[in-house]
Amino acid sequence: MTVRRDFKEPARCRPDQVIGREELFTAAREQLARGGSVLLHGPAGIGKSTVLRALAGECGGTARTVLRCSPTESESHLPFLALADLLGLVLDEVSDRLPAAQRTALEAALTGRGESSLQRDGLALRLAVLSALRALADSGPVLVVADDLQWLDPASAELLGFAARRLGDTPVRMLFAVRTEGEEYDRHLRASPPDTLAVRLGPLSRAQMSTLLENRGYTGLPRSTVRDIHRTSGGNALFALELGRALAENATPPRPGEPLPVPTSLRALVLNRLEMLSDQARRTLLVASAGARPTLALLHAAGREDAEAETAQAAELGLLATEPEGPAVRFAHPMISAALYAEAPAQERRAAHAALSTAASDPIERARHLALATTGTDPEVAARLAEAAALARDRGAPSVAAQLSLLAARHTPADGAPSPDALRLAATDDAITAGELDLARDIAREVLARTAVPAERVRAWIAVIETAGHAMTEVDSIFPQALADAGEDPKLLALVHYQLTWRALLVEGDFDEAREEAGYAAELAARAGDRYTELLSLALKAQIETLMGHPDAPSTIRRALEEPQDPRVACHHNGAGYSRFRWLIMSDQLPEARAAVTALLREVRRHGWVESEVHFLRGVAETELHSGHCGRALDLARESLRLARDTGIGEVASAVLTSLAEAAGGEVERALTLAREAMEHAEEDGDQMYVSRALAALGHAQLVAGDTEGAVRSLRRVREVEQGLGITDPARGRWHGDLAEALVRGGEIAEAQDVIDVTREQALRLDRESVLAVLDRAQALVRAARGDQDAAVAQLTSAQDRLGKLGYGLEEARAAFALAQLRCAVSGPASYDEPARLFRRCRALPWLRRVEAAAAVGAVQPAPAPEVAPDGLDGLDGLASMERQVAALVMEGATNREIAARLFISVKTVEATLTRVYRKLGIRSRVDIVRLAAGRRTT
């Protein structure tokens, strides 16, 4: 299944203006905060001025004086102009503090009333600028801001550089932006202090560009269009926004295979040197812009006899970046190619495609060029395009296959076979496979508006349902229409009932109904001879049974793996291969699970099946997380989330997994943010399964963050939701140990024991060894809270050993940590070397920080509390076990934090326990406990 959802970045919030520049922005801001200077550099339109303004706005508030200039190319020949912009308004403030010769030279340079020049007054001017900056800094920090440093007039650049090199510790910071190509920024550093940080702004990623476009009001763009904008703009923010504006103003979107409309503003910007080319060279470049991978050989084959000389001329003008001896013809920027193509008349574009339709060696390219060179319907062209689409599909390029199928539909007559709508539906399937859900949905809606053929209508309905993903409540009204169109056809009914299985899971939250629907869909598909749908239905039934802890799950998986197999199902994210992976990972067979899902990921990448790639990336990450390879798991989870955001596939699921990975090996705050967003979106979608998974991730992150009350609240909800859903296999979410631990920390010992007892019964029935070991860890905490420390130590030691042998590295480290804390509570200061070593091995940074904090507290622990309450409290039958232990430690003078560390509970729990003690004993403070105990000893 797929899901459309946009998630915010989990990192700390940044202004909209610096989208995609968060890390660079932070580095530059920190440099300025330290009193250093920053030089932003990169190509035109990349976003330097935007970042500069954001930095100046944020850091300017700490400066007493902000000096600004923004030189232009047309004014760069005027000496001292930039200096006048910087110092003109503050000249009166500093002139009285300058020596007479410096003041005279500076006033003449800034006002133009004298004949000052670097040749005549060089030393006086240089010293005057330095003295002026020092004088301003005497009253408070100074920030000098200059945009477009490349247009700084030479005189101002020389004077500014002289001063910058001699300011030393004077509180003057400089923030500059300069247009550069490549890394050629060194020469601009001469106007900056020696310790200036050079920050290069590179192209935006596709996800960042999508966010930028949406924030600027270009919302609702299909992801395939955003992909084209990203490719055409080369990640350049200015180019992307201009392309977005052109699309918004263009009532007719580009047809399949056609490039994006390039606005006149960009054509003028990137093609200002085009008129210097000869007509023949322009035609050669047009052919190159129409080709997918132009080479000199291809241009020759397309009839461009003087291609070498004409491309060399274009390279000299900066239009091409072709290597002198290389075969490839590469434009200096993708926008040049797009603008050149957009500038050409339609007839010339068709002629270029016609030449390439015979010159290209690849059959897919030949078919595409033939389509773009042809107007109207043509059965022969349509047939060649359909063949090319099949070839692209086989090559693992479903996105290309979708475009070719749409071109084939465009050139197919209304009475053609296959019909235009059948070709459009093929494009829909390919678009879904490629992760282009917006495109698939639009095509399916178009087909529904055109056709009355039941088979085509049902396929279109299914496409609309699939593109809704987990948000199935949005398409709930479609199912009756799809069933009506299916009639009595078992093949069509099987398709609909397969989707009804997902509806039962995601909308109704009814596992029994979902299992019945999946079985019925498999039966219908078998009757119709549709092995593909039969295998998918069996695999889905197996996954449902696995979640339910149903005894038939293994046999259903075996049925789904029986021959004959359909290669499209073998690597499908809802196929039997993935069902087998889930069974392996829930059965503690981590090496086998890793091998299985890694093979699946490798295969779907070879085929270009993006939807399945997102799922299998999560599977590999999950396996690495269980194995305690937290760094590797975090990298994979983040990659999965980036791809999910980029395609709109499985974002809730990827956010949940990334939250777990962040809590294990990254930043806990990110984990909390992602889990909360995932929960909100799952609730919006009415998806109870992912509500429970998001809540489990949130509860885990809260536990790691030390928010015991929040963890209990979240994980109690998970328990309620999963009981309602009928999920009984504790290996599905693995939240039970976290809940029990949080309850112990919160002083809810009886409830913790109940969670352990119920879960243990389920885990024993299903033979979930790792779950049982984690439950033993939680049971040891319960025993410790009840005062049975010796049994607790023995049980924790056993749990740590079993988890290590099963390969659960992070859980093993957590058991070692609990053991060290317990020994510290029983015997005083204890070594935390073992948990620290294990957490370092896992690269579990949040947990390592907790170990360090616990070790710091343990180093100053007072003497251990006795296992039995002191005589002074023996007669207080009204106190529970936990309350007696807390009261005993208070009597010894322990602080709340020390009590929390020694009893393995939170500080908030200590505070709440003391409140109950005060109420039960009729006293008001810690001092009263000591007095009461002392009084009882003397009687």
Side-chain angles (χ1 to χ4, degrees):
M1 296 296 291
T2 60
V3 59
R4 296 176 289 111
R5 184 69 62 194
D6 289 329
F7 277 84
K8 302 172 186 174
E9 285 289 340
R12 48 201 173 277
C13 184
R14 290 282 176 251
D16 288 344
Q17 295 92 327
V18 294
I19 289 168
R21 312 295 189 192
E22 289 80 6
E23 292 184 9
L24 299 180
F25 187 92
T26 299
R29 187 184 62 177
E30 290 175 353
Q31 170 76 355
L32 291 167
R34 290 192 295 266
S37 297
V38 173
L39 175 71
L40 306 170
H41 66 98
I46 204 67
K48 303 179 299 298
S49 298
T50 301
V51 176
L52 180 134
R53 286 193 296 270
L55 283 169
E58 188 164 324
C59 300
T62 62
R64 179 187 179 275
T65 306
V66 179
L67 308 175
R68 299 175 184 270
C69 73
S70 185
T72 63
E73 182 178 12
S74 62
E75 299 169 339
S76 61
H77 66 286
L78 300 174
F80 308 123
L81 184 61
L83 195 67
D85 288 339
L86 290 170
L87 297 177
L89 295 178
V90 296
L91 181 60
D92 292 342
E93 182 181 341
V94 299
S95 60
D96 292 343
R97 287 183 274 176
L98 302 181
Q102 294 180 24
R103 181 171 62 251
T104 300
L106 186 58
E107 288 177 347
L110 297 187
T111 62
R113 288 196 291 267
E115 297 181 357
S116 182
S117 67
L118 282 178
Q119 289 73 28
R120 177 179 171 179
D121 305 310
L123 181 58
L125 274 173
R126 287 173 171 83
L127 293 174
V129 173
L130 178 60
S131 299
L133 291 173
R134 284 174 173 166
L136 289 169
D138 285 343
S139 302
V142 176
L143 177 64
V144 181
V145 182
D147 198 1
D148 281 323
L149 198 65
Q150 72 276 6
W151 304 133
L152 204 68
D153 64 271
S156 296
E158 172 61 29
L159 295 173
L160 201 57
F162 176 88
R165 292 189 293 273
R166 290 165 175 79
L167 285 168
D169 294 333
T170 306
V172 176
R173 299 169 293 169
M174 296 186 176
L175 173 59
F176 298 154
V178 61
R179 182 188 301 178
T180 58
E181 297 295 336
E183 296 292 330
E184 300 171 0
Y185 62 90
D186 292 354
R187 63 188 179 90
H188 298 289
L189 288 172
R190 69 174 186 269
S192 308
D195 64 342
T196 296
L197 173 68
V199 177
R200 176 167 178 78
L201 274 68
L204 296 174
S205 70
R206 192 191 305 178
Q208 292 164 348
M209 183 161 290
S210 176
T211 303
L212 174 66
L213 290 165
E214 289 186 1
N215 279 28
R216 296 301 175 87
Y218 303 122
T219 58
L221 292 174
R223 292 179 187 273
S224 55
T225 301
V226 174
R227 178 199 62 198
D228 291 342
I229 291 176
H230 183 256
R231 184 182 63 246
T232 303
S233 68
N236 185 290
L238 172 64
F239 295 171
L241 290 172
E242 286 296 297
L243 289 169
R245 181 177 62 81
L247 282 166
E249 294 174 352
N250 191 346
T252 305
R255 294 184 299 180
E258 291 184 344
L260 297 173
V262 179
T264 305
S265 58
L266 286 184
R267 297 187 201 182
L269 180 65
V270 300
L271 295 180
N272 53 2
R273 288 160 287 187
L274 190 64
E275 57 190 34
M276 301 174 67
L277 286 174
S278 66
D279 289 342
Q280 292 301 317
R282 287 184 64 170
R283 291 193 180 94
T284 295
L285 288 192
L286 175 60
V287 174
S289 71
R293 294 173 296 277
T295 62
L296 289 172
L298 178 65
L299 294 176
H300 279 299
R304 310 312 302 168
E305 298 177 356
D306 296 326
E308 286 88 350
E310 290 159 356
T311 55
Q313 181 188 2
E316 289 177 5
L317 293 173
L319 294 166
L320 294 180
T322 304
E323 297 294 331
E325 303 299 328
V329 177
R330 183 166 56 87
F331 285 88
H333 192 279
M335 183 57 68
I336 296 175
S337 173
L340 181 67
Y341 187 91
E343 188 79 4
Q347 185 175 354
E348 290 187 13
R349 292 202 296 261
R350 286 196 296 271
H353 286 297
L356 289 168
S357 69
T358 58
S361 59
D362 185 81
I364 292 177
E365 278 299 295
R366 288 199 302 270
R368 186 179 74 86
H369 287 302
L370 180 61
L372 294 175
T374 305
T375 58
T377 59
D378 188 322
E380 183 178 344
V381 171
R384 287 183 58 180
L385 285 165
E387 292 171 2
L391 181 58
R393 204 172 292 122
D394 290 341
R395 288 182 180 178
S399 180
V400 175
Q403 294 295 331
L404 291 168
S405 292
L406 288 176
L407 285 171
R410 179 174 140 197
H411 290 286
T412 298
D415 58 352
S419 70
D421 285 328
L423 291 167
R424 292 186 183 95
L425 288 168
T428 300
D429 293 339
D430 288 322
I432 291 174
T433 301
E436 298 179 8
L437 304 184
D438 297 304
L439 175 62
R441 187 183 313 106
D442 291 344
I443 300 170
R445 292 289 187 187
E446 182 183 356
V447 170
L448 286 166
R450 290 171 176 267
T451 186
V453 178
E456 293 177 347
R457 291 188 61 80
V458 170
R459 285 183 61 192
W461 287 127
I462 297 301
V464 173
I465 293 169
E466 287 190 343
T467 56
H470 286 213
M472 295 194 81
T473 51
E474 298 177 4
V475 294
D476 204 31
S477 61
I478 286 177
F479 287 100
Q481 301 176 66
L483 285 169
D485 283 330
E488 300 297 325
D489 188 327
K491 183 173 183 178
L492 300 180
L493 285 171
L495 295 174
V496 180
H497 281 280
Y498 176 76
Q499 296 299 331
L500 283 169
T501 304
W502 286 106
R503 181 186 179 279
L505 286 173
L506 303 179
V507 179
E508 301 297 333
D510 190 330
F511 275 54
D512 288 321
E513 181 185 345
R515 180 172 176 268
E516 291 180 10
E517 285 285 0
Y520 186 46
E523 179 187 332
L524 288 167
R527 196 189 313 163
D530 181 1
R531 185 62 172 163
Y532 174 82
T533 305
E534 180 188 6
L535 291 172
L536 275 182
S537 301
L538 287 171
L540 182 53
K541 183 182 179 185
Q543 288 195 50
I544 296 166
E545 290 175 343
T546 299
L547 292 174
M548 296 172 69
H550 198 284
D552 289 350
S555 62
T556 306
I557 291 175
R558 285 193 294 272
R559 283 184 62 199
L561 289 170
E562 289 175 357
E563 296 294 339
Q565 283 290 312
D566 187 309
R568 295 172 296 167
V569 180
C571 297
H572 195 281
H573 54 277
N574 288 323
Y578 193 66
S579 297
R580 177 174 175 269
F581 158 72
R582 294 247 46 98
W583 178 261
L584 289 169
I585 202 168
M586 292 171 72
S587 302
D588 301 323
Q589 300 179 59
L590 295 183
E592 295 85 351
R594 181 186 293 107
V597 74
T598 301
L600 289 170
L601 177 61
R602 185 168 52 247
E603 190 65 15
V604 298
R605 281 177 165 168
R606 186 174 71 84
H607 286 290
W609 297 346
V610 177
E611 184 175 7
S612 293
E613 181 181 358
V614 174
H615 286 74
F616 296 153
L617 268 172
R618 287 200 304 271
V620 179
E622 182 182 353
T623 309
E624 298 296 349
L625 191 59
H626 286 320
S627 302
H629 305 150
C630 299
R632 169 73 172 154
L634 183 57
D635 290 342
L636 288 163
R638 287 175 174 172
E639 182 183 353
S640 167
L641 184 56
R642 282 194 298 270
L643 186 58
R645 285 176 176 152
D646 210 18
T647 59
I649 295 171
E651 292 183 70
V652 171
S654 292
V656 167
L657 183 65
T658 308
S659 172
L660 293 169
E662 290 284 359
E667 296 292 336
V668 178
E669 285 303 316
R670 286 186 180 182
L672 291 166
T673 300
L674 282 169
R676 289 189 178 108
E677 290 177 357
M679 183 181 66
E680 290 171 5
H681 294 316
E683 287 177 335
E684 288 175 10
D685 294 341
D687 183 350
Q688 290 301 297
M689 279 209 306
Y690 271 97
V691 166
S692 75
R693 297 197 65 179
L695 279 168
L698 177 59
H700 177 74
Q702 288 168 325
L703 184 66
V704 177
D707 181 6
T708 302
E709 291 182 8
V712 169
R713 190 164 52 249
S714 298
L715 295 172
R716 275 175 174 162
R717 278 195 63 195
V718 177
R719 194 182 191 194
E720 292 170 5
V721 171
E722 294 204 352
Q723 284 176 345
L725 289 172
I727 297 175
T728 61
D729 192 333
R732 183 258 186 181
R734 299 179 182 271
W735 48 265
H736 312 75
D738 284 347
L739 176 55
E741 179 177 333
L743 288 167
V744 172
R745 288 179 178 275
E748 303 288 346
I749 308 302
E751 185 180 349
Q753 187 64 63
D754 179 65
V755 170
I756 292 169
D757 291 343
V758 172
T759 309
R760 188 184 303 280
E761 181 181 350
Q762 296 166 340
L764 284 169
R765 176 174 62 85
L766 297 167
D767 195 24
R768 301 301 192 224
E769 281 296 322
S770 62
V771 174
L772 290 167
V774 168
L775 291 174
D776 279 353
R777 185 182 68 204
Q779 183 69 67
L781 303 183
V782 171
R783 285 179 167 170
R786 288 172 171 168
D788 193 357
Q789 274 83 3
D790 290 340
V793 167
Q795 194 163 24
L796 276 173
T797 303
S798 172
Q800 178 185 343
D801 180 63
R802 288 158 58 201
L803 288 166
K805 289 178 179 177
L806 288 168
Y808 287 80
L810 183 58
E811 298 295 349
E812 175 192 6
R814 287 181 62 180
F817 183 28
L819 185 58
Q821 288 180 298
L822 182 58
R823 284 172 172 161
C824 183
V826 172
S827 308
S831 172
Y832 283 88
D833 290 347
E834 175 70 359
R837 179 185 69 81
L838 291 174
F839 282 131
R840 274 195 294 270
R841 185 183 69 183
C842 294
R843 220 189 86 178
L845 303 182
W847 286 102
L848 193 57
R849 287 190 284 269
R850 288 192 59 185
V851 170
E852 292 168 352
V857 172
V860 294
Q861 289 286 353
E867 295 181 16
V868 180
D871 293 341
L873 297 180
D874 272 347
L876 305 179
D877 297 332
L879 293 183
S881 173
M882 176 69 71
E883 294 164 352
R884 290 164 64 84
Q885 292 183 69
V886 170
L889 288 168
V890 168
M891 189 185 69
E892 292 185 2
T895 66
N896 285 1
R897 187 178 180 187
E898 290 166 348
I899 295 171
R902 295 174 68 184
L903 296 183
F904 200 56
I905 59 178
S906 69
V907 173
K908 287 184 178 180
T909 301
V910 174
E911 295 169 350
T913 303
L914 281 173
T915 299
R916 292 195 299 272
V917 170
Y918 299 157
R919 185 175 64 252
K920 289 181 179 181
L921 298 182
I923 57 180
R924 296 184 177 181
S925 69
R926 298 164 63 94
V927 175
D928 290 337
I929 293 180
V930 178
R931 288 173 177 167
L932 181 60
R936 287 181 179 272
R937 284 198 186 97
T938 59
T939 57

